[in-house]
Amino acid sequence: MVPANPLDITVVIPTFNRSSSIGRALDSVRAQTRLPRAVVVVDDASADDTVASVEKWSWQQDFPVEIIQLPKNMGPGAARNRGIAYASTRYVGFLDSDDEYLPDALETLISMAGRYPDVALSFADATVVSSGGEEHHGLVGGKVLQKEELGSKDGEETVFRLPNATTALLKASIIPTSATCFRRDAAVRVGGMPESFRAGEDWLFWLRLAGEGSFVFQLRDIVLHHRHSGNLTHPDSAEFVSREKLRGYIALERGHVGVRLSSDQKRALGRHIERQARTWRYNLSRLGLRDYAHGIRSEVGRSIGSPIRHVIDDPRALLRAAYWSVDHFGNRREVAQGL
């Protein structure tokens, strides 16, 4: 089936071992009020039957899906960059393979992007779905502290603009990756996503795009964002995620990701690094003394201080790491939380 009157957008779905959920994601693309011009699934060397599941879905639904298979696992940034490179449309949108669009997601994003000529990125909010239930407006919500109202059109939701996207996103991303639409030419110009990061690569990409035009958004949910034990929003990934965030801050400070910062932003970034270092040491220490010692001697650890400096700045982390290395009759978790 060739979409009639398609939107000028390619939906890029990066995936890794998601045969059980990618059909749901594709169903949500198929159910859009207006269909995209192209859909590309980039398989990051899955070990399961994800590719076969996509092929079967495409055949059964008579809905064309381009499949790109990476020769080895390269991470979400590399997978998304391959999708951007493949696209020939004006706009590109990301949909994680365990998320799903609400029916008018693409039409909403394209409408915002096309309404204002200087837009580099349009986005909206998401409903977070977990074992505990649903949280509406769960990712953007009240996190946007400064916004400029651009008005509404024909009874639509109000459209806002971030007055300074770099400042708004410097501490952390407030943008749901699956609820975005951006100009392909801008993404190519900034070099796409930094592929050396396995978490936070989308956050750094948004910061790169901030120099290419304005960011507009609505505060309505257009995506269902599913949280489960297999993604990086799960608590078990805390040390890894906090380490990658610290790496991102350091890369920004050193100018390694192509984001230009003002003097005020550099000062704010210094404060973010100090706070993130404490968060990382906390999560690292809960892995035990051996991992803690290895971590503070690693490249990330050395980039913010010597091992002795880490101990002086945060002696509790060392005590916590020692504690988590000893079996205290099953009670260590409760006690260690107080350290």
Side-chain angles (χ1 to χ4, degrees):
M1 181 198 74
V2 178
N5 191 27
L7 295 168
D8 194 13
I9 185 172
T10 297
V11 174
V12 174
I13 306 177
T15 187
F16 176 69
N17 291 347
R18 285 285 185 264
S19 64
S20 63
S21 63
I22 196 166
R24 180 181 64 195
L26 289 166
D27 284 342
S28 75
V29 178
R30 179 70 177 80
Q32 290 299 289
T33 53
R34 286 189 64 189
L35 297 174
R37 189 175 299 279
V39 181
V40 54
V41 170
V42 185
D43 182 73
D44 197 12
S46 292
D48 66 1
D49 61 344
T50 294
V51 170
S53 296
V54 174
E55 291 173 337
K56 180 179 179 181
W57 183 94
S58 180
W59 179 79
Q60 289 179 334
Q61 298 296 324
D62 189 25
F63 193 88
V65 177
E66 181 71 23
I67 302 173
I68 299 174
Q69 294 180 259
L70 300 185
K72 62 179 181 179
N73 185 265
M74 300 173 67
R80 292 188 178 112
N81 284 345
R82 285 293 298 275
I84 293 171
Y86 169 84
S88 60
T89 49
R90 176 172 174 78
Y91 298 106
V92 174
F94 293 140
L95 177 63
D96 287 348
S97 57
D98 50 357
D99 288 345
E100 54 187 314
Y101 285 140
L102 295 179
D104 63 345
L106 293 178
E107 196 167 4
T108 297
L109 292 170
I110 290 290
S111 175
M112 284 191 288
R115 195 179 307 172
Y116 307 98
D118 66 332
V119 169
L121 176 86
S122 66
F123 67 96
D125 209 341
T127 297
V128 176
V129 181
S130 66
S131 59
E134 295 186 355
E135 179 187 356
H136 297 283
H137 311 302
L139 295 179
V140 180
K143 297 176 184 176
V144 180
L145 300 181
Q146 293 185 332
K147 56 182 181 291
E148 174 188 352
E149 184 173 329
L150 299 180
S152 59
K153 179 182 177 182
D154 299 329
E156 295 179 355
E157 291 275 340
T158 301
V159 177
F160 300 94
R161 186 199 311 266
L162 293 178
N164 188 316
T166 302
T167 296
L169 300 172
L170 188 59
K171 182 178 180 181
S173 177
I174 56 173
I175 298 175
T177 307
S178 293
T180 61
C181 160
F182 55 88
R183 288 197 342 261
R184 180 185 180 275
D185 66 323
V188 171
R189 195 156 42 243
V190 301
M193 289 195 167
E195 297 184 4
S196 63
F197 290 84
R198 293 275 179 150
E201 74 290 337
D202 51 346
W203 162 61
L204 294 172
F205 178 53
W206 309 142
L207 285 169
R208 284 178 168 181
L209 277 181
E212 295 294 317
S214 62
F215 283 23
V216 297
F217 63 99
Q218 292 181 359
L219 292 173
R220 58 186 293 252
D221 294 354
I222 63 169
V223 165
L224 298 181
H225 172 67
H226 293 270
R227 286 188 175 170
H228 49 81
S229 60
N231 58 31
L232 291 180
T233 52
H234 191 269
D236 287 350
S237 303
E239 188 277 329
F240 171 74
V241 172
S242 61
R243 172 170 24 99
E244 288 292 275
K245 186 61 172 291
L246 183 57
R247 283 185 62 223
Y249 282 147
I250 294 167
L252 286 168
E253 183 183 51
R254 295 179 177 179
H256 291 172
V257 289
V259 178
R260 300 183 66 176
L261 302 176
S262 68
S263 297
D264 286 344
Q265 289 166 343
K266 289 178 181 178
R267 284 191 289 270
L269 182 61
R271 295 190 294 271
H272 297 334
I273 290 174
E274 290 179 5
R275 286 192 290 267
Q276 189 63 27
R278 290 194 294 270
T279 299
W280 172 62
R281 282 192 296 257
Y282 173 82
N283 290 314
L284 178 65
S285 69
R286 289 168 64 86
L287 301 180
L289 193 56
R290 182 175 179 177
D291 285 334
Y292 179 77
H294 176 76
I296 62 176
R297 288 178 170 84
S298 68
E299 182 179 353
V300 173
R302 293 195 311 272
S303 67
I304 54 175
S306 67
I308 295 299
R309 186 76 259 167
H310 283 287
V311 174
I312 292 173
D313 289 346
D314 193 356
R316 277 190 166 190
L318 177 61
L319 294 173
R320 191 183 303 110
Y323 186 88
W324 278 80
S325 296
V326 178
D327 185 1
H328 280 266
F329 307 104
N331 295 320
R332 62 181 180 175
R333 179 180 299 273
E334 289 77 8
V335 177
Q337 286 175 345
L339 289 176

